[in-house]
Amino acid sequence: MTDINKKPFYRLYYAPGAASLVVHWLLIETNAQHELVSVDIAAGEHKKPEFLAMNPNGLIPTMLINQKPHYEAAALALHLGDAFPEAGLSFAFSDTERRVELYQWMLNLANVVQPILRAWWNPHEPAGEAHRDAVRTQCQERLSREWTRIDQHLAEHGALLGRITVADFMLVMLMRWSRNMPQPATNWPNLAALAARLKQRPSFAKLYEIEGLTEWT
Ligand SMILES: N[C@@H](CCC(=O)N[C@@H](CS)C(=O)NCC(=O)O)C(=O)O
């Protein structure tokens, strides 16, 4: 069994602004010892055999935890919340009631919201090149319903779990991806307030500097 007091060493395979962003952000936020490996998606580095040996899905993020490869942004974010309890971004292992709420939100974001955004950024994927515009229209409609639902929840709770957790970092990354949509997530006031709150953290400025990001500051 892993000793929770002995901190792992991480190597994150990332691309600027990609789904690795939440993991990178949390590595900074938790002060985790880590190194970064930039992956050139355009050059197809993530489809090469050496990468597929780490992540057979051929996707970013992929992260070595003590040299063992792991993937899925939501899972990696949950792990960092657990591995760094002092950062206060998760709940104690004994607090199963709160933890199930955290799992619920993370999986809801990863399974419901994230795929819509993936389809928006890759509109040829669901039904081919000929249907790009229809896919994008549908993505916006579906996503607006999701933003409304989450915004209403935030109006009552302020943060997804009532206080800032790894789930809010995940949400803000997904919000960022909607920045060029006709109705970006920041059109919803409680979502905008949450993003503004997280953007004030020093970790956000550091993340942007390292990834060389400029949009959506
Ligand atoms: N479910 C995966 C999705 C990851 C994902 O879609 N990553 C994108 C970057 S944002 C990627 O690797 N795209 C390259 C490709 O699809 O070939 C996760 O959350 O980690």
Side-chain angles (χ1 to χ4, degrees), residues 5-201:
N5 296 312
K6 193 165 178 283
K7 300 301 184 196
F9 183 79
Y10 301 97
R11 178 189 285 174
L12 176 66
Y13 293 80
Y14 85 107
S20 45
L21 183 144
V22 65
V23 185
H24 187 191
W25 193 359
L26 287 168
L27 284 168
I28 298 169
E29 181 72 30
T30 56
N31 224 359
Q33 254 202 308
H34 66 277
E35 62 188 27
L36 299 170
V37 180
S38 171
V39 180
D40 187 343
I41 293 183
E45 279 177 8
H46 57 310
K47 305 297 182 197
K48 293 198 171 143
E50 12 346 334
F51 193 94
L52 294 174
M54 295 188 292
N55 180 352
N57 304 295
L59 292 172
I60 315 296
T62 296
M63 185 161 79
L64 302 189
I65 306 178
N66 291 336
Q67 301 182 346
K68 191 172 168 209
H70 297 272
Y71 44 84
E72 290 299 338
L76 299 174
L78 281 167
H79 160 76
L80 289 171
D82 285 344
F84 295 85
E86 63 277 16
L89 299 174
S90 184
F91 297 100
F93 287 106
S94 57
D95 196 348
T96 53
E97 284 185 28
R98 301 275 19 230
R99 288 182 71 85
V100 74
E101 291 176 40
L102 179 61
Y103 299 154
Q104 176 188 291
W105 272 111
M106 285 303 261
L107 288 168
N108 182 259
L109 293 173
N111 290 343
V112 178
V113 181
Q114 193 174 345
I116 304 174
L117 283 154
R118 172 147 183 134
W120 167 268
W121 283 90
N122 303 279
H124 60 284
E125 283 184 352
E129 282 294 333
H131 301 285
R132 291 178 80 99
D133 291 349
V135 166
R136 283 206 151 175
T137 303
Q138 208 205 39
C139 283
Q140 178 65 80
E141 284 170 14
R142 290 172 60 207
L143 202 51
S144 292
R145 285 198 290 276
E146 302 307 332
W147 294 143
T148 300
R149 169 179 66 85
I150 299 169
D151 192 74
Q152 282 167 357
H153 177 86
L154 291 176
E156 200 179 329
H157 301 277
L160 287 174
L161 281 301
R163 65 163 167 82
I164 297 295
T165 66
V166 292
D168 299 295
F169 286 80
M170 178 82 177
L171 173 57
V172 171
M173 175 183 76
L174 300 179
M175 288 179 63
R176 182 179 182 279
W177 291 352
S178 76
R179 64 191 181 277
N180 294 326
M181 293 180 74
Q183 294 178 55
T186 45
N187 281 7
W188 281 259
N190 300 293
L191 282 165
L194 179 72
R197 209 168 139 195
L198 284 200
K199 283 180 191 180
Q200 280 168 8
R201 297 172 94 102

